[in-house]
Amino acid sequence: MEQATEVAAEAHHANWVISPNYCAPHPVELTIVRKAMTITHGNFDITGIDGNIVFKVRAPFAIFHNPGNVLLDAAGNPILTLRPKLSSIFHRKWKVFKGDSTDSANLLFSAKLSSTFQFKTTVDVFLANNTREDVCDFKVKQSFWQRSCVVYAGNSSTAVAQMHKKQSLFGKEKFMVTVNPNIDYAFIAAVIVILCEINFSNRSTPSPAS
Protein backbone atom coordinates (compact mmCIF):
# COMPACT_ATOMS: atom_id res chain seq x y z
CA MET A 1 0.00 0.00 0.00
CA GLU A 2 2.83 2.37 0.90
CA GLN A 3 4.61 1.64 -2.40
CA ALA A 4 1.42 2.33 -4.38
CA THR A 5 1.03 5.65 -2.59
CA GLU A 6 4.60 6.62 -3.47
CA VAL A 7 4.04 5.74 -7.14
CA ALA A 8 0.83 7.79 -7.22
CA ALA A 9 2.57 10.74 -5.60
CA GLU A 10 5.41 10.53 -8.11
CA ALA A 11 2.97 10.43 -11.04
CA HIS A 12 1.12 13.44 -9.64
CA HIS A 13 4.39 15.35 -9.26
CA ALA A 14 5.40 14.66 -12.85
CA ASN A 15 3.93 16.92 -15.53
CA TRP A 16 2.44 14.35 -17.85
CA VAL A 17 -0.12 14.73 -20.61
CA ILE A 18 0.09 11.40 -22.42
CA SER A 19 1.25 9.05 -19.65
CA PRO A 20 3.45 9.13 -16.53
CA ASN A 21 5.40 6.32 -18.23
CA TYR A 22 6.94 9.02 -20.43
CA CYS A 23 8.21 11.07 -17.51
CA ALA A 24 11.76 10.50 -16.28
CA PRO A 25 13.44 11.88 -13.14
CA HIS A 26 16.34 13.08 -15.32
CA PRO A 27 16.62 15.13 -18.56
CA VAL A 28 15.71 13.16 -21.68
CA GLU A 29 17.66 13.75 -24.89
CA LEU A 30 15.79 13.07 -28.15
CA THR A 31 16.85 13.36 -31.77
CA ILE A 32 14.04 14.01 -34.24
CA VAL A 33 14.82 13.40 -37.91
CA ARG A 34 12.40 14.48 -40.60
CA LYS A 35 12.71 13.53 -44.27
CA ALA A 36 12.49 16.90 -45.97
CA MET A 37 12.40 15.68 -49.57
CA THR A 38 8.99 14.01 -49.57
CA ILE A 39 5.52 14.98 -50.80
CA THR A 40 3.93 13.41 -47.75
CA HIS A 41 4.03 14.64 -44.18
CA GLY A 42 4.68 12.55 -41.16
CA ASN A 43 8.00 10.84 -41.88
CA PHE A 44 9.81 11.31 -38.58
CA ASP A 45 12.09 9.02 -36.61
CA ILE A 46 12.71 9.92 -32.97
CA THR A 47 15.65 8.31 -31.19
CA GLY A 48 17.09 8.41 -27.68
CA ILE A 49 20.61 9.26 -26.61
CA ASP A 50 21.64 5.66 -27.36
CA GLY A 51 20.45 5.94 -30.96
CA ASN A 52 17.58 3.51 -30.51
CA ILE A 53 14.12 4.34 -31.85
CA VAL A 54 11.80 5.76 -29.18
CA PHE A 55 8.97 6.97 -31.42
CA LYS A 56 8.08 7.02 -35.10
CA VAL A 57 5.67 9.33 -36.86
CA ARG A 58 3.87 8.14 -39.96
CA ALA A 59 1.11 9.58 -42.17
CA PRO A 60 -1.53 6.92 -42.95
CA PHE A 61 -4.08 9.31 -44.44
CA ALA A 62 -4.65 10.21 -48.08
CA ILE A 63 -2.44 13.09 -49.15
CA PHE A 64 -5.14 15.15 -50.82
CA HIS A 65 -7.99 14.43 -48.41
CA ASN A 66 -7.06 14.99 -44.76
CA PRO A 67 -3.39 14.64 -43.96
CA GLY A 68 -2.38 13.78 -40.44
CA ASN A 69 0.21 11.94 -38.42
CA VAL A 70 0.25 9.03 -36.01
CA LEU A 71 2.89 8.88 -33.27
CA LEU A 72 3.94 5.26 -32.75
CA ASP A 73 6.09 3.68 -30.07
CA ALA A 74 9.18 1.65 -30.98
CA ALA A 75 7.06 -1.47 -31.45
CA GLY A 76 4.70 0.30 -33.85
CA ASN A 77 1.78 0.74 -31.46
CA PRO A 78 -0.18 3.99 -31.96
CA ILE A 79 0.17 6.45 -29.09
CA LEU A 80 -1.28 9.61 -30.58
CA THR A 81 -3.13 10.78 -33.66
CA LEU A 82 -2.25 14.31 -34.81
CA ARG A 83 -4.76 15.95 -37.15
CA PRO A 84 -4.74 19.43 -38.68
CA LYS A 85 -8.05 21.25 -38.46
CA LEU A 86 -9.67 21.24 -41.89
CA SER A 87 -10.86 24.84 -41.64
CA SER A 88 -7.45 26.02 -40.47
CA ILE A 89 -5.54 27.45 -43.42
CA PHE A 90 -2.02 26.07 -43.87
CA HIS A 91 -2.44 23.62 -40.96
CA ARG A 92 -2.17 26.33 -38.32
CA LYS A 93 -4.33 24.46 -35.81
CA TRP A 94 -3.95 20.82 -34.81
CA LYS A 95 -5.84 18.45 -32.54
CA VAL A 96 -4.18 15.49 -30.84
CA PHE A 97 -6.08 12.38 -29.79
CA LYS A 98 -5.21 9.32 -27.75
CA GLY A 99 -4.17 6.22 -29.70
CA ASP A 100 -5.46 5.90 -33.26
CA SER A 101 -8.76 7.59 -32.42
CA THR A 102 -10.13 10.88 -33.72
CA ASP A 103 -13.14 10.84 -31.41
CA SER A 104 -13.64 14.05 -29.43
CA ALA A 105 -13.87 11.98 -26.25
CA ASN A 106 -10.20 11.03 -26.76
CA LEU A 107 -8.94 14.55 -27.37
CA LEU A 108 -5.79 15.23 -25.31
CA PHE A 109 -4.73 18.67 -26.46
CA SER A 110 -4.76 21.15 -29.33
CA ALA A 111 -2.07 23.43 -30.70
CA LYS A 112 -2.39 26.51 -32.84
CA LEU A 113 -0.11 29.06 -34.41
CA SER A 114 -0.72 32.28 -32.51
CA SER A 115 1.79 34.59 -34.18
CA THR A 116 4.62 34.95 -36.64
CA PHE A 117 6.42 38.24 -36.07
CA GLN A 118 9.93 39.33 -37.05
CA PHE A 119 11.06 35.77 -37.82
CA LYS A 120 9.69 34.49 -34.50
CA THR A 121 6.94 31.89 -34.33
CA THR A 122 4.67 31.23 -31.34
CA VAL A 123 2.42 28.20 -30.91
CA ASP A 124 -0.09 27.94 -28.05
CA VAL A 125 -1.00 24.53 -26.62
CA PHE A 126 -4.28 23.91 -24.81
CA LEU A 127 -5.09 20.75 -22.87
CA ALA A 128 -8.47 19.14 -23.54
CA ASN A 129 -9.99 20.30 -20.25
CA ASN A 130 -9.07 23.90 -21.06
CA THR A 131 -12.18 24.42 -23.17
CA ARG A 132 -12.26 28.22 -22.92
CA GLU A 133 -8.66 28.53 -24.16
CA ASP A 134 -8.29 31.92 -22.51
CA VAL A 135 -4.79 31.08 -21.31
CA CYS A 136 -2.58 28.44 -22.89
CA ASP A 137 -1.24 25.51 -20.87
CA PHE A 138 2.05 25.47 -22.79
CA LYS A 139 3.67 27.92 -25.17
CA VAL A 140 6.26 27.20 -27.86
CA LYS A 141 8.51 30.07 -28.93
CA GLN A 142 10.69 29.55 -31.98
CA SER A 143 13.63 31.81 -32.61
CA PHE A 144 15.27 33.38 -35.65
CA TRP A 145 15.32 31.21 -38.80
CA GLN A 146 13.67 28.29 -36.97
CA ARG A 147 17.02 27.19 -35.50
CA SER A 148 15.84 26.75 -31.93
CA CYS A 149 12.73 26.82 -29.80
CA VAL A 150 11.72 26.62 -26.15
CA VAL A 151 8.56 25.07 -24.71
CA TYR A 152 7.27 26.96 -21.67
CA ALA A 153 4.70 26.09 -19.03
CA GLY A 154 1.77 28.38 -19.84
CA ASN A 155 2.66 32.06 -20.16
CA SER A 156 5.41 31.71 -17.57
CA SER A 157 9.16 31.87 -18.06
CA THR A 158 9.51 28.25 -16.86
CA ALA A 159 11.04 26.21 -19.67
CA VAL A 160 10.11 22.52 -19.87
CA ALA A 161 11.99 21.61 -23.06
CA GLN A 162 14.44 23.09 -25.57
CA MET A 163 15.06 22.25 -29.23
CA HIS A 164 17.99 23.07 -31.51
CA LYS A 165 17.94 22.42 -35.25
CA LYS A 166 21.01 20.89 -36.81
CA GLN A 167 22.07 21.54 -40.39
CA SER A 168 19.91 19.78 -42.98
CA LEU A 169 21.81 17.06 -44.84
CA PHE A 170 20.85 14.68 -47.63
CA GLY A 171 17.20 15.73 -47.69
CA LYS A 172 16.74 15.37 -43.93
CA GLU A 173 16.19 17.82 -41.08
CA LYS A 174 17.55 16.99 -37.63
CA PHE A 175 16.31 18.44 -34.36
CA MET A 176 17.99 17.90 -30.99
CA VAL A 177 15.53 18.10 -28.10
CA THR A 178 16.21 18.22 -24.37
CA VAL A 179 13.20 17.50 -22.16
CA ASN A 180 13.43 18.57 -18.53
CA PRO A 181 13.03 16.05 -15.69
CA ASN A 182 9.47 14.89 -14.90
CA ILE A 183 8.12 16.29 -18.17
CA ASP A 184 6.18 14.05 -20.56
CA TYR A 185 8.62 13.52 -23.45
CA ALA A 186 5.98 11.89 -25.69
CA PHE A 187 3.97 15.10 -25.37
CA ILE A 188 7.02 17.23 -26.15
CA ALA A 189 7.86 15.07 -29.18
CA ALA A 190 4.30 15.53 -30.50
CA VAL A 191 4.46 19.31 -30.00
CA ILE A 192 7.79 19.55 -31.86
CA VAL A 193 6.39 17.45 -34.72
CA ILE A 194 3.40 19.80 -34.98
CA LEU A 195 5.74 22.81 -35.02
CA CYS A 196 7.73 21.19 -37.84
CA GLU A 197 4.54 20.57 -39.83
CA ILE A 198 3.33 24.14 -39.31
CA ASN A 199 6.69 25.42 -40.55
CA PHE A 200 6.60 23.06 -43.53
CA SER A 201 3.10 24.21 -44.50
CA ASN A 202 3.96 27.89 -44.13
CA ARG A 203 7.29 28.05 -45.93
CA SER A 204 5.70 29.29 -49.13
CA THR A 205 3.25 31.55 -47.27
CA PRO A 206 4.95 33.22 -44.28
CA SER A 207 2.09 35.64 -43.55
CA PRO A 208 1.02 35.94 -39.90
CA ALA A 209 -1.92 33.95 -38.58
CA SER A 210 -5.20 35.75 -38.14
Side-chain angles (χ1 to χ4, degrees), residues 99-167:
D100 57 0
S101 171
T102 56
D103 191 295
S104 59
N106 292 316
L107 179 67
L108 292 174
F109 66 92
S110 61
K112 67 178 181 180
L113 178 66
S114 61
S115 68
T116 53
F117 180 70
Q118 293 183 345
F119 304 106
K120 293 183 179 181
T121 298
T122 303
V123 174
D124 290 338
V125 179
F126 303 92
L127 300 183
N129 60 2
N130 184 359
T131 56
R132 296 184 62 179
E133 297 188 354
D134 292 334
V135 179
C136 64
D137 297 285
F138 296 88
K139 185 180 290 288
V140 185
K141 293 184 178 181
Q142 189 174 48
S143 67
F144 185 73
W145 294 125
Q146 304 175 358
R147 288 294 174 185
S148 65
C149 80
V150 180
V151 182
Y152 295 94
N155 286 321
S156 72
S157 60
T158 302
V160 297
Q162 303 83 36
M163 179 273 284
H164 296 280
K165 181 179 179 181
K166 296 294 185 180
Q167 185 176 2

Side-chain angles (χ1 to χ4, degrees), residues 20-43:
N21 295 332
Y22 298 120
C23 295
H26 52 77
V28 173
E29 303 288 342
L30 299 174
T31 300
I32 301 178
V33 177
R34 181 188 188 279
K35 295 179 181 179
M37 301 301 291
T38 176
I39 61 173
T40 61
H41 296 188
N43 290 303

Side-chain angles (χ1 to χ4, degrees), residues 11 14-24 79 108 183-187:
N15 295 300
W16 60 273
V17 176
I18 313 305
S19 169
N21 295 332
Y22 298 120
C23 295
I79 301 172
L108 292 174
I183 298 297
D184 188 331
Y185 58 86
F187 166 70

